[in-house]
Every structure is written in structure tokens, then in C-alpha cells.
Amino acid sequence: GAGASSAITGILFAACFSAIPTVPEMQAMNTPSPIGTAVNNLLMIFVLSWALFLVGRSLGGVGAFLGAATVVVWLSLVQVGVLALSAVVMALIPTLGLLVFVALGFWLLWINATFVATLHGFQNTWLVLFGVVGVQLVLLVVMSMFTSAILGSN
């Protein structure tokens, strides 16, 4: 009766939990190397810089590749500061932190559009904002497909 039921339940729980990887196993699966992370970041800066340069030029912009790379790097630095500020506010006041995080996210998009408009000499920052969001979405899909093709779908 009860003893056999407990034993079966214990065996089932043990079987279920033994299939779940431990924290060290999970870390070993997902921890990128520092060199891999650096290469990935440099690749992303390069891809984003070329995309910013080529798309801007194709739409009549006047910006140079070096200017596009500078914009990408500056935006990355600003983003690090914004994320650090968001993390501090979220840790101190979670509800306000979420609002600050969302507001700063929109601010980052606006700053991005302003930098791009300045780089390429575009007059309408709102149109640039929509273009930036659209290009980022397309790049996200393309890079996801590219990464999936290289790494496979495990």
C-alpha cells in the first residue's frame, strides 16, 4: 500500500530530477569564452556599422563608414550607462525601475535616431527613427537565421 506508493513516487521524482542538468552543467553549456565574446562584439559592431553606413547612403545620406562606426560605439557606451542606471533603480525601487527602464529604452531609440540623422544629414528625425527600428528588426531576423544556420538547432 502506502510504502509501495511512496517508493514508486520517490523513484519517479528521482528519475525526473536526474534529467534536469545541475547549475555547473548548465553553466558549462552556455558560458562563452572571453575571446568568443570579444569576437562576437567586434563582429556586431562591424555589421551594425556597415548596415548604418550602407542603408543611410542608399537613402541619400552623406555619412562615412568611420562616422557610422563611431556612432555605433558611442551608442554602445551610452547604452551601458543607461543599463547600469536602470539596474540600480530597479534594485532600489522595482516598480519605478521598470518605468525608468522603459522610458530610457525609448530615449535610447531617440538618441540613436538623432545620431543617425546627424551622421547622414537627414532632416526628419522621426522618419529616421522608423527607419532605424525597421532596419534593426530586419537585422535581428537575418542575424538570427545566420546564427541558426551556423550553430544548428540543437
Side-chain angles (χ1 to χ4, degrees), residues 45-134:
I45 288 171
F46 184 75
V47 167
L48 290 173
S49 298
W50 271 106
L52 177 57
F53 170 68
L54 293 175
V55 171
R57 281 291 182 102
S58 70
L59 296 173
V62 296
F65 175 75
L66 186 57
T70 304
V71 165
V72 170
V73 170
W74 268 109
L75 284 171
S76 296
L77 289 173
V78 170
Q79 186 176 17
V80 167
V82 165
L83 290 174
L85 175 65
S86 295
V88 169
V89 175
M90 279 190 184
L92 296 175
I93 311 168
T95 306
L96 180 62
L98 180 61
L99 293 173
V100 167
F101 182 76
V102 169
L104 287 174
F106 283 114
W107 181 77
L108 278 173
L109 281 173
W110 183 254
I111 292 300
N112 189 347
T114 303
F115 282 11
V116 171
T118 302
L119 170 70
H120 284 294
F122 295 134
Q123 299 301 314
N124 190 338
T125 307
W126 284 102
L127 281 177
V128 173
L129 176 68
F130 290 117
V132 164
V133 170

Side-chain angles (χ1 to χ4, degrees), residues 31 41 67 75 115 117 134 141 144 147:
T31 304
N41 288 341
L75 284 171
F115 282 11
V141 170
S144 295
T147 304

